[in-house]
Amino acid sequence: MPQVRDLMVSSVVTIEPATSIVDAARRMIQEEKGPLPVVEGESPVAMVTDRDIIARVVAEGRDPNSVRVEDIATHELVTIEPDRDVEEVRQLMDQHELDRVLVVEGERLVGIISEADIRSDEGPLV
């Protein structure tokens, strides 16, 4: 059984809590990423997604220039260690209805793993 470290992406695009929502949205577009882990130093503290921006800023009519990432990000993180079996991360994704999980060693963000990363390891459907 492969471990999380075998399938995770280790070059994670992150953002800081005080970043404006406008800058976060630009970063998502430039980097072609939907979710961005929010970090303080090397530690993940939240996650912000394009859906968060739509639901908590645009739909509420808030001024994107006055809202910071920390104001709308999800702070309840689901994480896993890199030496865990891939089946464990699959169960976490199902349990929490997620398509991505942050990979941490201690308090340090070392990667991210998605459903697509897991599926790509399974090979083609025959």
Side-chain angles (χ1 to χ4, degrees), residues 24-38:
R26 283 188 188 125
R27 185 93 188 258
M28 288 175 182
I29 292 166
Q30 290 168 346
E31 300 287 342
E32 298 180 2
K33 303 289 182 194
L36 294 177
V38 182

Side-chain angles (χ1 to χ4, degrees), residues 50-114:
D50 47 359
R51 180 159 171 68
D52 292 330
I53 294 171
I54 293 166
R56 298 180 183 152
V57 180
V58 177
E60 292 180 5
R62 296 168 76 180
D63 176 8
N65 291 305
S66 66
V67 179
R68 302 279 168 230
V69 167
E70 63 195 345
D71 300 329
I72 67 160
T74 300
H75 294 271
E76 299 81 32
L77 296 177
V78 176
T79 63
I80 195 163
E81 296 81 22
D83 59 352
R84 300 297 198 122
D85 288 339
V86 168
E87 187 54 37
E88 290 182 64
V89 79
R90 199 175 273 154
Q91 290 171 3
L92 274 177
M93 288 177 179
D94 287 346
Q95 178 183 354
H96 295 280
E97 298 179 357
L98 299 171
D99 59 4
R100 288 173 181 79
V101 173
L102 298 178
V103 183
V104 296
E105 282 184 329
E107 298 288 313
R108 190 171 65 94
L109 178 66
V110 295
I112 191 167
I113 188 165
S114 70

